[in-house]
Amino acid sequence: MDEPRDPRPAADSGPRLVAAHTSLTPIQEAWGAYARHQLRCRLCADLDAGPCAIAGQLRQAWETLTREAFARLAGETA
């Protein structure tokens, strides 16, 4: 016989599609910049030298964005 063995799935049963233009949040972007720098910087990779000034600035930017986001969630700022 030519009949399929399993029932066909419904047309809308697949996973939801994500738009191609979806971007990360500013906090995720800031963390990504910090992480990418840490992985590529020779000074940051040296355990004895510690993070460089650029890494410090990138981390500070991430921390500032995070603090501001938590403050907004807590209703401390508009």
Side-chain angles (χ1 to χ4, degrees), residues 5 9 13 17 21-23 36 43 45 49 51 55 57 70 74 76-78:
R5 293 182 183 182
S13 66
L17 298 177
H21 64 277
T22 303
S23 60
R36 279 189 304 275
L43 186 60
Q57 292 171 350
F70 277 119
E76 297 173 9
T77 60

Side-chain angles (χ1 to χ4, degrees), residues 10-72:
D12 61 349
S13 66
R16 295 182 61 184
L17 298 177
V18 177
H21 64 277
T22 303
S23 60
L24 298 174
T25 65
I27 294 171
Q28 291 170 319
E29 291 284 349
W31 179 258
Y34 171 69
R36 279 189 304 275
H37 174 82
Q38 288 278 61
L39 292 172
R40 295 179 181 147
C41 177
R42 280 191 234 152
L43 186 60
C44 292
D46 185 358
L47 294 176
D48 294 328
C52 70
I54 296 172
Q57 292 171 350
L58 291 170
R59 183 169 177 100
Q60 183 62 39
W62 169 73
E63 289 176 355
T64 300
L65 287 169
T66 303
R67 259 193 311 278
E68 290 171 356
F70 277 119
R72 283 193 306 273

